[in-house]
Amino acid sequence: MFSRSNGALGTFYAVLSALCWSTCYLVCKFLLQGDVQQIDPRTLVFLRYLLGSTFIFLWCALSKKNLHPGSSKRVWHIIRAAFFMYCLMNTLSAIGQQYVTATTASLFMESAPAFLMVMWRLVTRQTMTKGDIAASLLGVFGCMLVMNIISPLGIGFSGDPIGIPFLFFASVSWIVGNHYSHDVMYSGDAIVTTAWCQLCASLMMLPQMFVMSDALIFPSTWQAWLAVAALGLFPTAIAYGTWSKAMTYIYGVKLTMMQNLTPVFTMFGAWLLLDEAVAWWNVVGMAIVFFGISIAVMYNMKKVHGG
């Protein structure tokens, strides 16, 4: 049963997850683009989830958690969630990120899911609140301002348009995966389930890697391997683990809206660590994102407490 206290805990996990996810795009751009491509998309997804599941399993073992995945029916649900939320989504995303900038990739992967989820629910005639719709639209608009896709100079995406369809369908796969993941996360230990999902996703990449072995690129420098390890730890093990915990407290558009914080954290980190300039419309966009999330949380609390 949802309550004010566990809703706050779910929000904490979701915000922590968004913070960790904000490291993903810069690392991926370092590995996938540049003068020399450090790794191919399939190997990237394989190593990311192999390392991510290893980190989580080690933590679970040290915490003396029961690592058994559960019944055969539950294993099937884990496999289904792993395919959509991890394997397919990240394969499409990694391919798309080869053609577009990190900004464009971040928009599609962190903001589009909330908007698409609203559209999906409207098309399928599921119950939607005005708060859900308003929060989603404000979140996407705010992220566009944060990432300079909308500015006084006009509107535009950066990079080759061929990457856009891959990112779009990656967002769709994320929504489907979230739908299948909710029940399996809620019915068992979310962290252990996340580890099994990531291990399954890693193994699912092996047939692709075998068929396209000539196109595989493995990291050849210690900097590339360090980047892969960081990718496996922060935006994979920690981010997905905390997201899975949040999923047991918050669901639907409210949870997906929290992804809009990732571009905000990315912008703030670039300003703080890389001394990148922040324009006034970026700040306005950040405020709109926070306002949109506040609307989602407010409507969620009214629904839970009957206010």
Side-chain angles (χ1 to χ4, degrees), residues 33-55:
Q33 289 188 348
D35 296 334
V36 179
Q37 186 176 351
Q38 307 274 353
I39 195 172
D40 69 279
R42 294 164 188 81
T43 304
L44 175 66
V45 176
F46 170 74
L47 291 177
R48 175 183 182 182
Y49 287 120
L50 182 63
L51 289 174
S53 61
T54 300
F55 287 138

Side-chain angles (χ1 to χ4, degrees), residues 34-215:
D35 296 334
V36 179
Q37 186 176 351
Q38 307 274 353
I39 195 172
D40 69 279
R42 294 164 188 81
T43 304
L44 175 66
V45 176
F46 170 74
L47 291 177
R48 175 183 182 182
Y49 287 120
L50 182 63
L51 289 174
S53 61
T54 300
F55 287 138
I56 299 176
F57 275 128
L58 285 174
W59 184 85
C60 291
L62 292 174
S63 303
K64 298 181 179 180
K65 290 179 175 287
N66 181 7
L67 300 181
H68 195 279
S71 64
S72 57
K73 181 179 180 180
R74 181 174 171 78
V75 169
W76 163 244
H77 289 315
I78 289 175
I79 293 173
R80 186 169 58 177
F83 175 75
F84 286 104
M85 191 174 179
Y86 296 84
C87 180
L88 181 60
M89 186 274 288
N90 278 275
T91 300
L92 294 172
S93 175
I95 294 173
Q97 285 182 68
Q98 292 182 105
Y99 301 100
V100 301
T101 64
T103 296
T104 302
S106 182
L107 172 71
F108 273 85
M109 296 313 303
E110 305 303 339
S111 301
F115 177 75
L116 291 174
M117 183 175 287
V118 170
M119 295 300 100
W120 170 256
R121 290 194 169 192
L122 289 175
V123 169
T124 57
R125 298 182 180 180
Q126 299 182 45
T127 303
M128 289 291 301
T129 67
K130 294 180 180 179
D132 290 336
I133 298 173
S136 176
L137 294 176
L138 285 171
V140 173
F141 178 68
C143 284
M144 285 184 171
L145 289 171
V146 167
M147 296 181 292
N148 296 310
I149 291 174
I150 295 179
S151 73
L153 300 177
I155 300 174
F157 294 99
S158 301
D160 192 330
I162 196 174
I164 301 300
F166 289 100
L167 295 172
F168 174 81
F169 285 109
S171 299
V172 173
S173 183
W174 170 261
I175 294 171
V176 175
N178 263 278
H179 173 74
Y180 286 134
S181 297
H182 179 259
D183 290 340
V184 73
M185 295 297 178
Y186 192 76
S187 62
D189 189 300
I191 302 299
V192 174
T193 302
T194 299
W196 282 109
C197 282
Q198 292 190 2
L199 179 59
C200 288
S202 181
L203 296 177
M204 287 175 185
M205 295 305 301
L206 292 176
Q208 292 188 52
M209 296 175 70
F210 178 78
V211 172
M212 305 188 68
S213 58
D214 292 340

Side-chain angles (χ1 to χ4, degrees), residues 289-307:
V289 169
F290 284 123
F291 181 61
I293 292 175
S294 298
I295 291 177
V297 172
M298 178 186 68
Y299 271 80
N300 185 57
M301 299 305 295
K302 287 177 65 177
K303 183 177 180 181
V304 170
H305 298 285

Side-chain angles (χ1 to χ4, degrees), residues 206-228:
L206 292 176
Q208 292 188 52
M209 296 175 70
F210 178 78
V211 172
M212 305 188 68
S213 58
D214 292 340
L216 299 183
I217 303 174
F218 281 87
S220 59
T221 65
W222 69 266
Q223 294 96 332
W225 278 110
L226 185 62
V228 171

